[in-house]
């Protein structure tokens, strides 16, 4: 699974039409990823004020936006989410110097993986053999 390009991200944001009064909206989108199992786009967002980051789920059918994971919520650790990849039922998120992991079905946070020497990871990719890059 590959993180979508900025053009695809902008198209998703424009087509989705997330209402500004919905609880899930875009602030500073950084990456988008299509989840083919649930047929939704996951859009990683940072907060301009430096607060915790979050992920919004966008339905391509009707543009419904729902909060998928919020770094301000208890038990969810997201700071500056950027690139994302799906590997089976695990969503990997490049976040600062760590790779965050979430169960795609339950959205529960799984143990993260620190990347020695990394400060700002920009993307993550899942290989066909199960490796994560």
């Amino acid at each position: 699974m590959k993180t979508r390009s900025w053009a695809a991200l902008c198209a998703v944001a424009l087509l989705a039409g997330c209402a500004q009064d919905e609880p899930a909206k875009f602030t500073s989108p950084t990456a988008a990823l299509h989840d083919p199992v649930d047929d939704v786009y996951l859009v990683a967002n940072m907060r301009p004020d430096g607060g915790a980051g979050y992920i919004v789920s966008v339905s391509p059918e009707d543009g419904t936006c729902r909060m998928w994971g919020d770094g301000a919520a208890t038990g969810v650790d997201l700071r500056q989410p950027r690139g994302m990849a799906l590997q089976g039922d695990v969503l990997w998120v490049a976040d600062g110097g760590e790779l965050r992991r979430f169960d795609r079905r339950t959205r529960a946070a799984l143990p993260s993986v620190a990347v020695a020497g990394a400060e700002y990871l920009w993307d993550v990719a899942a290989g066909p053999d199960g490796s994560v890059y």
Side-chain angles (χ1 to χ4, degrees):
M1 205 55 43
K2 179 155 177 53
T3 302
R4 302 290 175 154
S5 69
W6 276 106
L9 174 62
C10 292
V12 168
L14 290 172
L15 292 173
C18 294
Q20 290 301 308
D21 58 346
E22 286 186 50
K25 60 185 176 184
F26 299 115
T27 52
S28 292
T30 57
L33 174 72
H34 182 248
D35 176 348
V37 174
D38 289 338
D39 191 24
V40 295
Y41 287 92
L42 301 175
V43 182
N45 287 266
M46 293 192 300
R47 287 193 166 93
D49 63 5
Y54 61 97
I55 298 171
V56 172
S57 169
V58 181
S59 167
E61 298 259 338
D62 61 8
T64 303
C65 298
R66 292 189 172 88
M67 191 63 78
W68 195 94
D70 187 353
T74 304
V76 177
D77 194 9
L78 279 174
R79 295 180 193 117
Q80 302 169 347
R82 289 190 168 92
M84 299 177 289
L86 282 168
Q87 180 187 55
D89 281 335
V90 176
L91 172 67
W92 291 83
V93 181
D95 185 30
E98 297 190 49
L99 293 173
R100 307 281 181 204
R101 297 184 321 144
F102 298 91
D103 183 295
R104 188 189 61 73
R105 295 187 189 280
T106 66
R107 301 179 183 174
L110 302 170
S112 62
V113 177
V115 178
E119 289 184 32
Y120 298 104
L121 297 171
W122 283 94
D123 208 353
V124 59
D129 64 352
S131 297
V132 175
Y133 302 94

